[in-house]
Amino acid sequence: MSACPLPEAAVAEKAVVGAAMQSGSLADSVLEVLTPEMLTLPAHQHILRIIAELREAAKPVDLIILTTEAEKRGLLGEVGDTGYLTEIGADFGIVANWRHYAGEVTDVWKRRQMRAAALAMAEAAHDHALTTDDAQERCEQILYSLRDHTTRENPVAPCREAVVAAVEHIEAVYHSRGKTIGLATEIG
């Protein structure tokens, strides 16, 4: 297997971070979908982390506040200086399509997670200090962890909804006291 570079989506990251810089409510929406760790470029990670911390403290987000905060933290050089912040914060056209770009970033992040999982599984398979069963168990844990961390959705919610629906149905049957629940049919 040849070494291939880790996938990245620099242009999409720039678009999403730029959208998050436009307003607090837009930043909140972006942060519901992405975390700073999902980005590949350190400058974008720093910017989104600062935005996340500002929003967690219920502070507004805009170019001036972000620049000031990056400077206070000694990260202005790390985020590409004022010029880069101005550049990515000035493209208002990307705001309407930020979800599309966030999808690209998420896809690339998932691929990086898959690659890391594959490497960890290969290491487990080659670790002769582990029994074959232990190596297999470790690989299964890695796969489970991959599935768990590559989705931002709550897998428990559909189960909870099914249980609530079942309980409601049981209560309806109990309270019907012999009445027909559903459609009555005649069998000839």
Side-chain angles (χ1 to χ4, degrees):
M1 175 168 45
S2 65
C4 58
L6 289 174
E8 65 175 53
V11 173
E13 283 184 19
K14 184 177 176 182
V16 174
V17 171
M21 290 173 58
Q22 302 302 318
S23 72
S25 62
L26 193 50
D28 293 341
S29 296
V30 169
L31 291 166
E32 286 177 9
V33 178
L34 298 176
T35 64
E37 296 74 27
M38 295 171 77
L39 307 177
T40 56
L41 299 178
H44 296 158
Q45 290 174 345
H46 289 307
I47 295 167
L48 196 59
R49 191 169 292 111
I50 293 169
I51 291 171
E53 291 170 7
L54 287 169
R55 294 308 298 152
E56 193 164 310
K59 293 182 179 177
V61 174
D62 65 24
L63 177 62
I64 296 168
I65 292 169
L66 187 61
T67 303
T68 303
E69 198 62 34
E71 193 170 34
K72 277 187 206 174
R73 297 172 187 215
L75 293 173
L76 195 55
E78 299 290 322
V79 298
D81 226 351
T82 307
Y84 187 68
L85 288 173
T86 303
E87 177 187 329
I88 64 175
D91 191 355
F92 292 102
I94 51 103
V95 172
N97 297 322
W98 78 265
R99 287 189 189 279
H100 168 77
Y101 298 116
E104 287 182 28
V105 171
T106 301
D107 181 62
V108 167
W109 174 74
K110 286 179 179 181
R111 290 181 182 278
R112 288 194 320 271
Q113 295 297 99
M114 285 187 277
R115 181 175 176 179
L119 292 171
M121 288 172 51
E123 287 176 13
H126 286 91
D127 186 349
H128 294 289
L130 296 173
T131 66
T132 303
D133 289 340
D134 289 343
Q136 182 176 353
E137 185 175 327
R138 184 168 297 163
C139 289
E140 289 169 357
Q141 290 170 348
I142 291 166
L143 282 175
Y144 180 76
S145 172
L146 175 68
R147 182 67 179 150
D148 189 43
H149 289 102
T150 58
T151 179
R152 306 240 334 157
E153 297 171 11
N154 182 358
V156 178
C159 180
R160 184 181 316 123
E161 292 167 11
V163 169
V164 168
V167 169
E168 287 173 353
H169 178 73
I170 291 168
E171 287 176 348
V173 170
Y174 176 77
H175 293 296
S176 71
R177 307 258 192 240
K179 297 177 190 167
T180 303
I181 301 288
L183 297 174
T185 60
E186 291 185 33
I187 300 177

